[in-house]
Amino acid sequence: MESAVLEMVVPLATPIVPTTKDHAAPLMGGVEILILTVVSAANLVHVQKSTRANPERTVNAAQNSAVLLAIQREILVAVVQPPAGVESWLCQKAQGCQSGCTTGGTGTTPPPASSLQSEPVLGAPTDAPPTGAITNDGTCGASNGNTVCGDSPKGACCSMYGFCGIATAHCGDGCQGGPCLGAAVIPPPGPSPVPAATVPGSLKVVGQAGVPAMHAGLMQNGRVVFLDKIENYTQIKLGNGQFAYSAEYDPATNEVVGLGYKTNAFCSGGAFLADGRLVSIGGNAPLEFIDPTVSDGFNAIRYLSRSSDDESKNGQAWSEPGNKIASNRWYASVQTMPDSTLFVASGSLNGLNPSEKENNNPTYEILDAQGVTRGRNIPMEILSNNQPYYMYPFIHLLNNGNLFVFVSKSAQIFNVGFNDVVKSLPDLPGYHRTYPNTGGSVLLPLRSSNGYAPDVLICGGGVYQDITSPTDASCGRMQPLAVNPSWEMDSMPEGRSMVEGTLLPDGTVIWLNGCSLGAQGFGIAENPALDVLIYDPAKPLGQRFTKGPTSDIARLYHSVAVLLLDGTLMIAGSNPVEQPVLYPVANQTPSEDYVTEFRVEIYTPPYLSRAGAVRPTNITLSSNKLKADGTKFNIEFNAPARVEKVKVSLYHGGFVTHSLHMNHRMIVLDHSGFKANTAAQSLTVTMPPNHNVAHAGPYVIYVLADGTPGIGQFVSVT
């Protein structure tokens, strides 16, 4: 085998029996590792790493401790002591082999592809139109025997990735055959320059996350929990000697502790239960060669409990009593319903190619208020129709108890109780908006002055799942319950995928993270989008975006943003590689140009940065247990002496992952009793009228004096 070779000496974590063994193991992305081991009494291994697909390139692994660790923990375990049959099944094309493959083989049945924690990459679309027979299963195109849709009940257009349908996701850009429309007749707006904010706010690195921050949530103790997949390196080890894949970060001290879990939470969904527990749902397969203590997470449910007044819960591990969801779900979205049940939608059955429908789970199920499944998988047409873009759909609870559901470019109002599409909404112009070209979606603040009418904003997206994919600068805003709902189009200053929006207590939205070229997946994004964008929904169209500060940290795939009790925004994550990389490694496919990011940043918004900003202090609530039934409670606080206006926000941050903020919502509360230019304030505050507006669970009350928030107070809404 001709190859470029780099020799290294790697210390082993544990001794292995001295032996000599040649073995070539094909890994992800067409890269092959040739391992020649000679184990000495000093317990060192000489490793040769080569890239057959790119023989002129070398990996400077000697400078990359994560690569060394990967070889030490993963490759040597898998290669020096390979599982039975590994040589034969790894070389089969059916198992994803890309070079040196065989078509036969009698090896043992392999685990799912996700057991290597890879993600299927759909790649750039084909240009060849299908010319074969009419489909009999709703699939079509080059990847499905060149079949055509014909009069398929799904629709006559063959989408970019081989599914029949009639939406713009099928008939628009990338359409392989049928009555294709091509580009939109009225294209979405392109990038628009935006002015710098008068007060942009500031960014500051404050600490280390301990683990890659794939998922996050603000807990009732004021700390942020990070949740990740199985890794061969994190910054924390647990008491059992294994790396931690979850951590609890204290913003007050910037200290972090590791949390244990029992099942792989890779790309799970989540929500807060009515009783305040955080629940993580679904995940991916085990990686026993890295950590034998963590088992299959595809159908797992994990629970985490924290308290604002019981410090004994701090640092406790995830609880996993053995409850399972009704079917495997990887990349599921979760929405809390008015009756406190959980609506769990979509997900992959096995982590394999989503352009092959047998791998997909376009259904939903219901978990009860305690986070236990009712055991029934119910097909959902909008998910089925938009494969392979059906995972991690955007979902928002509306003020009538129905759901706004958005997948790819399509939207609908869905009644869960009757399993019924109440109304199909217009497609959003532009590119795909959900995984693997996710933009971001925000339910704008709800208020009584307009009957708590929902207003949804979606920004960003991309064309296809490849590092060459253009990204979308446009945003669409819709009031889905209007008489004739339509998308009002706006745009950011650049296209962005993996951009996420987070509400601030003053009602503005912060957009950050992501890339301007590429898509979600390992090593298929570049051109990081580094600017913070501030969106003010109250301003006229064309004047809503301003530019905040610019970070010097790339936040690509697997990044998060979480609002803290002090009104600042914590930004963490970016792990766009299959296993952690601590230093950039050039010329790799998939790309390793961007590292696993452990630094934690704090964005201090304009309301805390402007001259004269003074927080309200000594905030006291008459109760921290509040009912969403229109009842009243009291807030006392000290305001700046010349205060002119006060605002009270009821805020739920939700479960944050992959640019989605599941269940994220904010309600502006009515109040009386405010006295201008008075320091001592006593307000009578009215709660929302029902659980359609504010579902049960933990919320934060923010009191703002002249736009500046005091320290948030956790409450439980029942």
Side-chain angles (χ1 to χ4, degrees):
M1 179 177 80
E2 294 183 4
S3 60
V5 174
L6 175 68
E7 288 196 357
M8 299 177 294
V9 178
V10 184
L12 289 179
T14 56
I16 57 177
V17 178
T19 184
T20 300
K21 188 178 186 70
D22 283 320
H23 186 78
L27 299 180
M28 59 283 184
V31 176
E32 293 192 350
I33 307 298
L34 175 66
I35 302 294
L36 175 63
T37 64
V38 181
V39 182
S40 69
N43 201 33
L44 298 177
V45 177
H46 295 275
V47 178
Q48 294 180 318
K49 180 171 183 176
S50 64
T51 306
R52 174 181 284 175
N54 298 290
E56 75 284 3
R57 298 174 180 172
T58 62
V59 179
N60 191 6
Q63 297 179 5
N64 192 334
S65 60
V67 170
L68 296 179
L69 193 58
I71 293 171
Q72 175 181 327
R73 292 179 58 83
E74 178 178 341
I75 305 303
L76 285 176
V77 172
V79 173
V80 175
Q81 296 176 323
V86 68
E87 293 90 344
S88 58
W89 72 257
L90 278 173
C91 293
Q92 296 177 40
K93 288 184 177 180
Q95 308 309 331
C97 175
Q98 297 186 28
S99 63
C101 310
T102 63
T103 56
T106 58
T108 58
T109 302
S114 56
S115 68
L116 296 176
Q117 232 162 221
S118 61
E119 293 198 37
V121 175
L122 296 169
T126 178
D127 292 327
T131 58
I134 294 177
T135 181
N136 59 10
D137 64 357
T139 63
C140 57
S143 59
N144 295 290
N146 256 358
T147 54
V148 298
C149 295
D151 58 356
S152 169
K154 294 289 187 181
C157 293
C158 184
S159 73
M160 175 172 58
Y161 288 124
F163 287 87
C164 296
I166 201 62
T168 57
H170 304 85
C171 299
D173 287 333
C175 176
Q176 295 187 58
C180 299
L181 301 174
V185 176
I186 302 177
S192 300
V194 300
T198 304
V199 181
S202 61
L203 290 163
K204 181 181 179 181
V205 175
V206 296
Q208 299 281 314
V211 302
M214 179 183 293
H215 318 75
L218 178 69
M219 305 302 292
Q220 294 91 325
N221 57 6
R223 301 178 181 182
V224 175
V225 62
F226 297 131
L227 180 63
D228 188 35
K229 61 184 175 68
I230 299 171
E231 308 282 12
N232 59 26
Y233 172 76
T234 69
Q235 294 178 318
I236 304 173
K237 279 198 171 183
L238 300 173
N240 64 0
Q242 301 293 335
F243 287 109
Y245 315 123
S246 182
E248 185 174 354
Y249 189 100
D250 187 352
T253 63
N254 294 312
E255 296 178 349
V256 63
V257 296
L259 307 177
Y261 69 45
K262 299 176 183 177
T263 56
N264 189 0
F266 183 20
C267 300
S268 62
F272 284 90
L273 297 175
D275 63 13
R277 287 178 295 164
L278 180 64
V279 59
S280 161
I281 298 170
N284 206 282
L287 292 170
E288 294 180 352
F289 58 91
I290 293 179
D291 188 342
T293 71
V294 177
S295 58
D296 192 339
F298 268 116
N299 63 355
I301 308 176
R302 309 160 200 86
Y303 308 85
L304 190 68
S305 179
R306 293 293 184 267
S307 171
S308 57
D309 54 16
D310 183 359
E311 294 185 358
S312 68
K313 293 185 176 182
N314 296 350
Q316 288 185 4
W318 289 80
S319 172
E320 299 184 60
N323 297 335
K324 303 295 183 183
I325 50 178
S327 58
N328 289 358
R329 297 187 187 273
W330 183 55
Y331 284 94
S333 292
V334 184
Q335 174 63 53
T336 304
M337 298 300 295
D339 62 358
S340 298
T341 60
L342 299 183
F343 175 84
V344 182
S346 189
S348 170
L349 292 169
N350 51 26
L352 299 179
N353 186 352
S355 68
E356 299 174 1
K357 66 178 186 177
E358 60 268 23
N359 298 323
N360 301 342
N361 191 359
T363 70
Y364 70 89
E365 62 181 281
I366 303 297
L367 275 60
D368 67 20
Q370 297 301 312
V372 178
T373 186
R374 291 179 175 172
R376 182 184 175 200
N377 297 302
I378 304 171
M380 192 171 187
E381 190 174 30
I382 194 172
L383 301 177
S384 178
N385 287 349
N386 284 282
Q387 298 173 88
Y389 279 86
Y390 74 105
M391 291 185 281
Y392 273 161
F394 299 151
I395 305 174
H396 300 293
L397 176 64
L398 305 180
N399 65 336
N400 60 5
N402 292 329
L403 298 181
F404 171 88
V405 181
F406 184 94
V407 187
S408 181
K409 305 178 186 182
S410 300
Q412 66 179 208
I413 298 171
F414 186 75
N415 184 289
V416 177
F418 291 98
N419 186 33
D420 182 53
V421 178
V422 176
K423 189 173 188 176
S424 293
L425 300 169
D427 281 4
L428 175 57
Y431 300 153
H432 299 286
R433 310 286 185 160
T434 52
Y435 179 87
N437 295 105
T438 300
S441 179
V442 176
L443 178 67
L444 295 174
L446 303 171
R447 61 190 76 234
S448 67
S449 58
N450 64 0
Y452 303 99
D455 197 349
V456 175
L457 175 66
I458 295 174
C459 290
V463 184
Y464 49 81
Q465 192 188 21
D466 189 78
I467 199 168
T468 63
S469 174
T471 55
D472 202 325
S474 71
C475 300
R477 181 171 167 180
M478 172 188 278
Q479 294 183 9
L481 297 184
V483 175
N484 294 302
S486 61
W487 292 103
E488 178 188 67
M489 301 305 294
D490 204 342
S491 63
M492 302 179 288
E494 63 179 336
R496 293 174 85 148
S497 179
M498 297 176 280
V499 60
E500 59 184 291
T502 307
L503 289 164
L504 296 183
D506 65 354
T508 58
V509 183
I510 300 301
W511 293 94
L512 40 69
N513 299 342
C515 69
S516 60
L517 186 66
Q520 291 172 293
F522 294 130
I524 55 171
E526 53 187 358
N527 296 0
L530 301 174
D531 291 340
V532 173
L533 299 178
I534 305 166
Y535 179 90
D536 187 344
K539 290 188 175 180
L541 178 65
Q543 301 176 30
R544 293 168 182 161
F545 279 107
T546 54
K547 181 182 173 298
T550 300
S551 178
D552 59 1
I553 299 176
R555 303 284 186 185
L556 300 173
Y557 196 36
H558 298 148
S559 300
V560 296
V562 177
L563 186 72
L564 302 179
L565 291 178
D566 66 358
T568 63
L569 192 65
M570 176 180 285
I571 309 165
S574 192
N575 191 24
V577 287
E578 188 155 350
Q579 291 292 331
V581 172
L582 303 185
Y583 301 92
V585 182
N587 301 320
Q588 293 300 293
T589 303
S591 169
E592 292 184 2
D593 290 344
Y594 298 100
V595 301
T596 303
E597 185 57 68
F598 289 96
R599 286 174 290 179
V600 174
E601 285 177 291
I602 293 294
Y603 171 58
T604 301
Y607 54 43
L608 294 172
S609 303
R610 62 176 177 257
V614 179
R615 293 182 185 273
T617 58
N618 299 323
I619 299 171
T620 303
L621 309 184
S622 58
S623 176
N624 62 3
K625 298 183 186 301
L626 305 174
K627 293 184 178 182
D629 61 359
T631 54
K632 301 179 187 298
F633 68 101
N634 296 324
I635 302 179
E636 295 183 352
F637 61 97
N638 291 333
R642 296 185 178 182
V643 62
E644 296 180 356
K645 58 183 178 180
V646 166
K647 182 177 185 177
V648 180
S649 297
L650 181 66
Y651 189 99
H652 184 81
F655 181 91
V656 181
T657 188
H658 291 75
S659 306
L660 281 76
H661 290 222
M662 300 178 191
N663 290 285
H664 188 26
R665 65 202 296 112
M666 187 182 105
I667 304 98
V668 179
L669 299 182
D670 294 336
H671 60 82
S672 61
F674 169 67
K675 298 178 180 179
N677 302 310
T678 302
Q681 297 285 343
S682 179
L683 304 182
T684 299
V685 183
T686 304
M687 283 292 288
N690 53 53
H691 288 131
N692 297 341
V693 177
H695 60 72
Y699 286 75
V700 177
I701 292 283
Y702 289 100
V703 177
L704 296 90
D706 292 334
T708 301
I711 303 299
Q713 311 292 307
F714 258 108
V715 296
S716 175
V717 173
T718 61

